[in-house]
Amino acid sequence: MFVGKDELINARKLTGQWLHNTRFNWLFMSVTFAFVFLGNIMTLFNYYSETSRGIRTHQIMDYSRPVAFGLVGALVIMMLLYKTTDTKCVMFPQTGTSRFLAEKARYYCLIGAAGLNLVVYYFVAYALIGLWGQIVGDTMFANRFSIGFTLAGLLAWLLYMSIVLETMLALRLFIMKFRILSAVGLVLLVLLTIIDFAAIESFGATAIGALILERGLGFFLLKGIALWVLLFALSMVINKISLQDQSSRSAKQVITDNVTLAITVVAALVFVIVFIPQSLDSRIPRNLVIPSEEAYELTIPEFDPGPNRFVMNLDASGIPRGSSITITTIDVVKANDATQSVPDSDYYPLPEIVTMLYTVQDEQALLNFTGNEIRLEYWLPTWETGGIDMTRYIQPRFSARLDGNTLCLEYQYTLTSNAFFLPMWSFMEQFDTFKEKGIFYESAMPLFYNTRGERGWILISVD
Amino acid sequence: MIVLHIDYNSLKPIYIQIAEGIKNDILSGRLAEKGPVYSQLVLSKELGINPATAAKGINVLVQNGILEKQRGMSMVVAAGARSRLIAAKQDDDLHTLVAALVSAARKINLSEDRLLDMVQNRFTETAPKEGNEENE
Amino acid sequence: MSDHKKDPNVIRAEILTKKYPDKKALDNLTFTIQGSSITGLIGRNGAGKTTLMKLCAGLLTPTAGCLEIFGEPPGNNLKVLTRIVYACHDQPHDKNLRLRNVLSNYQIMFPVFDREFADKLVSFFRLNPKAKYGTLSQGMSSVFNFICGLACRAPVTLFDEPVLGMDAATRKSLYEVLLRDYNEYPRLILISSHLLTEIEGYLSDILLIDKGRLVWHGNIDDLRQSAYRLQGNVDVLESFCAGKHVLYQKHGVTDNIAVVREHPDDETVQEAAAAGLTLSVVRPEDLCLYLTQDTTEEELECLWEKTN
């Protein structure tokens, strides 16, 4: 319809020529990328914040965002220089359409290369740090590595970049005529509406943002692809019209020749974009709980049965009636003991220790023991850094035994020395698909880092 | 190999010059009867001319029966071409002489009858004796 | 009309016009070139030769009229464009490309490009295939671009001033190569040049344009036979030329010349001889000059006159 098979082959040949002619540029770019990324992996060891017991949390920023910005800038520059590249091929057979397709292909090569570099960097970072961790020991990754996530994120990122590109191409006449001024303005506009996901609520009303923001990754991809196809076709049509003086067919002919097919296709795409059931709430919920300012009052929590709640019943039938049971502890603290300096606030930036507290329901029952069993309802401490549950890495273990008249409560844990945060595709947070799978964390800079710990509790009662 | 020479300053068209050049070569014996003649390609290459021009020249000779096309592509000198050329040349030469004679006669106001008488006398005087061949 | 479609190698222009904001490059040009030939596109600087060639190559579109190659307009037409090659002396290849890469590019884009032949030509003309295109001198890049155009063996080959900057020896080799390859692989060649005398023998046709208009198109032999030059006494000259189409006259101290646009048949030759005038042939280059000249003797003389 728009493009003949010969034209596709011609465009492929032209692109192949360009790739071959610029092969050293690609090599140079890849090597530069490698250096920049490797250099930044080294900064992992510079930025860290101390948490309790010497855990160092290392973090670098998510590169998918700055690369996206840089890529848009590079695309704009390439777009401004399209004439120079075209002139070098003017002596070969081509049509206006095949020339435009070859031009598009050039931009997509750049987008693809950027995406590929990001993924490769991500793999390399994980590999290197994993290796380092093996050698040094006591190291862990704060966010879980997932192939599915990486590839899904790559797809979504590429799709976003493609939509941006096609929007720019559809507006390229504007860019060409007013050059730098409009290019800069356009880039900012496009970036703000599409890429700045963190501030999406504010800009959610913009057309493209509203169209494709979705909770579900699948829906997003579907809508995104539909939008992309629409914009792709739009840019082809605009190209045919604007370069009409180069072709022998008038603009009117171009449009009316394919009007039926075009209307059908456009209608289908509009349908997909607008009418496919939207998620009810397209806003990204904030799951950062605002910490209370003061929480000095230590309240003994209730035992809510749940996945991390345990009940241990110690057989106390051998205890002589009337004797008293003393409690010894290792790393467990009595809750009501005012002499203990236990930080009250759950949001204290650097909890000294992730502790376990115990409380006895009835003190008298232990001093004058007449029961059969000692019931321990307990849950282990949790430790969270930036929204990532780190508890599993502390490996908290609680054990209790009755040694004659002594109830021994023991809490053990190991602390890791180094935790690494390697974020990627942070815009993917908006999708439910990957939430709470241990992949994301909330805050960005180490300086404003929140480490949050919750004590474990042991509720002792007598049966 | 070819002694033909193109004179771009001559009033004669190039293809005529080629035709005449070939004719001269046939007359001088360089090109034998029933033998091959210079091809369009060879003429073009050696003389530095467009093959169409060479072809034109060859065609003129084909039309005059001097050259003929054999089976396949090769062009050969027609049988009897040389003698025909000689005859034609003689004809030409003769015509030139007659023209000169007539114009010379008119110049001195010699009448037609007197001229014819002079020619007859000359024929009688120079009639071939026994064993004496004279050619013009 | 349909006959043209059956004929091979046809360039057909009908009232072809190309206008730019500041000038009219081509004005109602109408001609047809058919079959294999080497046609010289002759004209002064700015006559519209390059514009015509670029139109044929699909690099420009006509403002009015039509231009068809193999029966179709060449613009955006891959079927036609793969059978046309436009080779100008300063093709804008990437300056950093090596010559052999440029040849590879041609090989990819043109279906019948003869790479082996091109490589041989490159070494024949003493070019270094590893040299970068930007390092070539004017003459060398003309040679190289000629090689690219010739090796394409395109049914319609357009050479735009192919010998610009070349020394005489290279030019001679180039013409020989052109003629030989044309003999082996006939095609429609349109070659624009200012050195008509050099290539006179190689051409079969001439297309003469001036100020965008067609002046003459036809066989070069016919052009040669369409005029003659007379030299001799000024009064005899003037009476002889009375009533004839005189293209050019010059009355000087040493000699007087007149160029007459008329076929010099035997009768005219004899008349001139009888009148005591020298009749000579007008070389096509000179004839084209006379047909397109627009400055007069007076204009020339004015250059040195002092205005008081």
Side-chain angles (χ1 to χ4, degrees):
Chain A
M1 174 189 76
F2 277 122
V3 187
K5 183 173 157 234
D6 283 340
E7 285 181 302
L8 279 174
I9 295 174
N10 187 260
R12 181 183 63 78
K13 284 186 187 171
L14 286 171
T15 315
Q17 252 189 54
W18 176 75
L19 280 174
H20 182 73
N21 293 342
T22 56
R23 60 191 183 279
F24 292 120
N25 297 6
W26 291 104
L27 191 67
F28 180 73
M29 187 181 89
S30 301
V31 167
T32 311
F33 258 53
F35 267 108
V36 168
F37 283 145
L38 283 174
N40 279 291
I41 288 175
M42 295 308 136
T43 69
L44 272 177
F45 301 97
N46 296 335
Y47 280 126
Y48 60 82
S49 58
E50 289 270 354
T51 59
S52 54
R53 293 286 170 97
I55 293 187
R56 270 180 259 122
T57 52
H58 311 260
Q59 173 206 337
I60 51 173
M61 65 170 162
D62 173 16
Y63 267 89
S64 60
R65 290 184 59 156
V67 169
F69 276 78
L71 180 63
V72 173
L75 286 174
V76 169
I77 293 174
M78 267 179 90
M79 225 177 258
L80 292 173
L81 295 173
Y82 89 102
K83 211 49 182 171
T84 321
T85 319
D86 274 348
T87 315
K88 292 179 187 159
C89 296
V90 79
M91 69 285 304
F92 301 120
Q94 59 196 252
T95 68
T97 310
S98 72
R99 195 163 42 238
F100 187 52
L101 279 175
E103 190 190 340
K104 270 187 200 266
R106 295 204 289 270
Y107 302 137
Y108 278 109
C109 283
L110 193 65
I111 292 176
L116 188 69
N117 270 290
L118 280 174
V119 169
V120 166
Y121 141 72
Y122 191 53
F123 282 138
V124 166
Y126 258 99
L128 282 180
I129 290 158
L131 200 66
W132 186 86
Q134 291 291 335
I135 296 169
V136 169
D138 282 346
T139 309
M140 70 179 199
F141 287 107
N143 46 347
R144 190 173 66 85
F145 179 83
S146 156
I147 288 260
F149 168 72
T150 310
L151 294 177
L154 176 67
L155 189 64
W157 189 87
L158 289 174
L159 187 58
Y160 266 120
M161 289 296 110
S162 306
I163 290 173
V164 169
L165 172 69
E166 291 300 338
T167 313
M168 281 160 66
L169 281 176
L171 296 167
R172 81 201 299 254
L173 277 182
F174 195 68
I175 292 180
M176 292 312 156
K177 278 240 148 64
F178 301 105
R179 291 266 151 163
I180 309 289
L181 203 65
S182 67
V184 166
L186 199 68
V187 165
L188 282 175
L189 184 73
V190 156
L191 288 173
L192 284 173
T193 57
I194 294 180
I195 298 181
D196 194 357
F197 308 120
I200 268 303
E201 277 120 84
S202 328
F203 296 104
T206 60
I208 296 175
L211 280 174
I212 58 176
L213 276 179
E214 278 288 342
R215 292 283 292 273
L217 180 62
F219 276 131
F220 158 74
L221 286 175
L222 191 67
K223 283 182 155 192
I225 288 173
L227 182 64
W228 175 74
V229 169
L230 197 67
L231 288 170
F232 190 101
L234 184 66
S235 71
M236 294 288 283
V237 170
I238 290 181
N239 179 68
K240 264 207 182 309
I241 294 172
S242 67
L243 299 179
Q244 187 250 318
D245 64 305
Q246 296 273 353
S247 77
S248 46
R249 284 166 53 172
S250 73
K252 267 203 195 134
Q253 269 180 307
V254 169
I255 296 173
T256 52
D257 275 358
N258 304 300
V259 76
T260 319
L261 185 56
I263 286 177
T264 317
V265 169
V266 168
L269 289 173
V270 166
F271 183 81
V272 165
I273 290 171
V274 175
F275 291 111
I276 284 206
Q278 300 233 7
S279 351
L280 288 168
D281 180 6
S282 64
R283 289 164 30 135
I284 296 174
R286 289 207 173 257
N287 58 12
L288 250 186
V289 178
I290 313 280
S292 49
E293 291 247 325
E294 327 228 314
Y296 296 116
E297 184 87 12
L298 188 65
T299 51
I300 296 168
E302 291 281 317
F303 182 81
D304 292 318
N308 293 321
R309 302 313 200 221
F310 306 102
V311 177
M312 192 191 284
N313 289 317
L314 294 172
D315 181 24
S317 49
I319 304 285
R321 303 294 112 162
S323 55
S324 68
I325 294 176
T326 49
I327 298 175
T328 58
T329 64
I330 300 174
D331 272 336
V332 181
V333 177
K334 190 158 185 216
N336 295 326
D337 197 335
T339 61
Q340 297 293 329
S341 60
V342 172
D344 287 331
S345 167
D346 280 333
Y347 292 91
Y348 203 76
L350 296 170
E352 281 296 323
I353 192 170
V354 179
T355 55
M356 277 196 92
L357 300 174
Y358 78 89
T359 174
V360 182
Q361 190 190 43
D362 185 1
E363 290 280 354
Q364 283 306 313
L366 276 184
L367 288 171
N368 198 357
F369 190 72
T370 52
N372 290 315
E373 274 186 343
I374 298 181
R375 185 191 181 86
L376 301 167
E377 290 165 329
Y378 68 95
W379 55 94
L380 293 166
T382 59
W383 184 41
E384 202 185 306
T385 301
I388 301 285
D389 178 28
M390 310 279 258
T391 317
R392 57 199 160 113
Y393 298 106
I394 317 173
Q395 294 174 37
R397 299 174 290 286
F398 173 71
S399 58
R401 64 176 192 283
L402 203 53
D403 217 358
N405 272 41
T406 314
L407 177 62
C408 301
L409 305 170
E410 189 176 344
Y411 167 55
Q412 286 175 305
Y413 58 90
T414 51
L415 284 181
T416 316
S417 327
N418 293 299
F420 289 92
F421 296 87
L422 299 177
M424 190 59 150
W425 315 131
S426 51
F427 65 86
M428 295 279 276
E429 267 187 280
Q430 70 181 80
F431 302 120
D432 286 339
T433 327
F434 294 104
K435 277 205 175 87
E436 284 144 34
K437 297 244 175 99
I439 291 177
F440 292 109
Y441 70 101
E442 275 276 347
S443 60
M445 300 307 288
L447 289 172
F448 307 112
Y449 219 31
N450 265 342
T451 307
R452 190 170 83 143
E454 260 181 26
R455 301 175 199 85
W457 280 91
I458 308 156
L459 304 174
I460 304 173
S461 52
V462 176
D463 272 337
Chain B
M1 208 38 184
I2 306 182
V3 211
L4 281 174
H5 181 69
I6 307 290
D7 181 8
Y8 288 100
N9 285 315
S10 159
L11 279 166
K12 277 196 207 142
I14 314 289
Y15 73 96
I16 299 284
Q17 291 184 42
I18 290 176
E20 291 192 349
I22 294 177
K23 278 196 236 177
N24 284 335
D25 280 354
I26 296 175
L27 279 171
S28 70
R30 219 164 218 281
L31 293 171
E33 281 188 12
K34 293 206 198 141
V37 74
Y38 314 126
S39 70
Q40 172 186 324
L41 204 76
V42 164
L43 284 170
S44 163
K45 194 174 84 166
E46 299 215 4
L47 298 173
I49 52 162
N50 193 287
T53 315
K56 226 166 154 184
I58 291 174
N59 259 344
V60 165
L61 296 177
V62 167
Q63 272 164 5
N64 294 344
I66 305 297
L67 300 176
E68 65 187 12
K69 194 162 177 194
Q70 263 197 341
R71 269 167 315 192
M73 291 290 284
S74 52
M75 204 71 83
V76 291
V77 181
R82 192 158 179 268
S83 35
R84 253 179 288 134
L85 280 176
I86 292 171
K89 189 163 161 43
Q90 287 175 340
D91 231 10
D92 262 343
D93 287 350
L94 207 58
H95 272 117
T96 315
L97 283 172
V98 168
L101 196 61
V102 169
S103 74
R106 285 196 201 267
K107 254 196 180 149
I108 56 169
N109 282 324
L110 196 69
S111 73
E112 190 181 330
D113 292 328
R114 277 287 287 147
L115 185 61
L116 287 169
D117 279 335
M118 284 175 75
V119 173
Q120 269 179 331
N121 289 339
R122 182 66 183 155
F123 256 105
T124 325
E125 282 170 23
T126 59
K129 310 239 172 14
E130 306 296 341
N132 233 0
E133 288 285 320
E134 270 190 49
N135 279 346
E136 264 293 353
Chain C
M1 268 318 148
S2 55
D3 290 338
H4 292 292
K5 288 210 164 104
K6 286 186 210 152
D7 282 328
N9 307 333
V10 178
I11 300 180
R12 193 176 75 85
E14 212 171 280
I15 325 173
L16 182 63
T17 309
K18 178 69 181 167
K19 280 193 208 156
Y20 288 113
D22 54 342
K23 70 179 261 188
K24 212 177 202 181
L26 294 179
D27 192 359
N28 293 320
L29 218 56
T30 303
F31 65 89
T32 304
I33 303 181
Q34 247 163 265
S36 306
S37 65
I38 304 184
T39 304
L41 180 57
I42 310 295
R44 305 182 58 182
N45 293 331
K49 305 191 292 293
T50 301
T51 310
L52 178 59
M53 286 197 166
K54 283 193 168 167
L55 279 165
C56 290
L59 293 168
L60 299 171
T61 28
T63 320
C66 91
L67 174 67
E68 285 178 2
I69 317 246
F70 307 118
E72 296 174 40
N76 280 329
N77 188 335
L78 278 177
K79 205 172 73 172
V80 167
L81 287 176
T82 45
R83 304 170 68 199
I84 300 179
V85 67
Y86 171 69
C88 66
H89 59 96
D90 58 353
Q91 207 79 274
H93 292 297
D94 188 339
K95 298 261 182 282
N96 285 318
L97 279 186
R98 298 190 195 274
L99 298 187
R100 60 177 178 202
N101 288 333
V102 179
L103 291 177
S104 301
N105 288 344
Y106 271 97
Q107 200 176 6
I108 295 169
M109 303 305 294
F110 285 100
V112 283
F113 186 81
D114 191 340
R115 181 60 194 267
E116 208 187 307
F117 181 56
D119 287 333
K120 286 190 203 158
L121 280 175
V122 163
S123 68
F124 175 80
F125 281 105
R126 312 269 187 271
L127 291 171
N128 178 9
K130 290 201 201 131
K132 291 201 176 170
Y133 182 71
T135 62
L136 294 179
S137 67
Q138 164 97 289
M140 288 315 223
S141 74
S142 293
V143 172
F144 179 70
N145 286 316
F146 166 76
I147 292 172
C148 291
L150 192 69
C152 274
R153 301 261 165 79
V156 172
T157 304
L158 310 164
F159 288 113
D160 194 348
E161 300 209 34
V163 297
L164 205 71
M166 279 188 215
D167 60 69
T170 317
R171 286 205 301 271
K172 191 160 176 297
S173 298
L174 187 144
Y175 297 138
E176 280 174 15
V177 166
L178 174 64
L179 197 61
R180 276 300 298 274
D181 203 51
Y182 174 73
N183 274 318
E184 304 270 337
Y185 300 90
R187 64 200 97 155
L188 196 160
I189 296 183
L190 189 63
I191 172 166
S192 83
S193 174
H194 288 303
L195 305 168
L196 186 46
T197 311
E198 271 191 2
I199 58 169
E200 201 184 313
Y202 309 112
L203 300 178
S204 56
D205 297 87
I206 294 240
L207 181 62
L208 177 65
I209 61 175
D210 185 41
K211 295 194 185 68
R213 292 202 196 92
L214 179 67
V215 176
W216 197 85
H217 177 219
N219 194 280
I220 192 172
D221 269 333
D222 295 339
L223 187 68
R224 267 195 211 99
Q225 297 291 312
S226 72
Y228 55 87
R229 183 190 288 107
L230 293 166
Q231 277 170 284
N233 179 277
V234 63
D235 296 313
V236 179
L237 207 57
E238 285 206 7
S239 69
F240 192 93
C241 295
K244 296 198 208 271
H245 179 195
V246 176
L247 286 175
Y248 172 75
Q249 284 196 78
K250 185 169 164 203
H251 304 299
V253 174
T254 54
D255 208 352
N256 306 293
I257 295 174
V259 175
V260 179
R261 191 82 190 276
E262 190 187 49
H263 173 65
D265 52 19
D266 293 328
E267 204 183 296
T268 321
V269 174
Q270 283 168 357
E271 272 178 37
L277 296 168
T278 315
L279 190 143
S280 57
V281 78
V282 185
R283 297 290 288 270
E285 178 160 11
D286 295 329
L287 184 53
C288 289
L289 207 83
Y290 298 137
L291 287 170
T292 60
Q293 193 158 38
D294 61 1
T295 55
T296 61
E297 267 302 302
E298 287 78 26
E299 275 182 308
L300 188 67
E301 288 301 321
C302 279
L303 291 174
W304 290 271
E305 271 176 15
K306 300 252 189 259
T307 46
N308 296 318

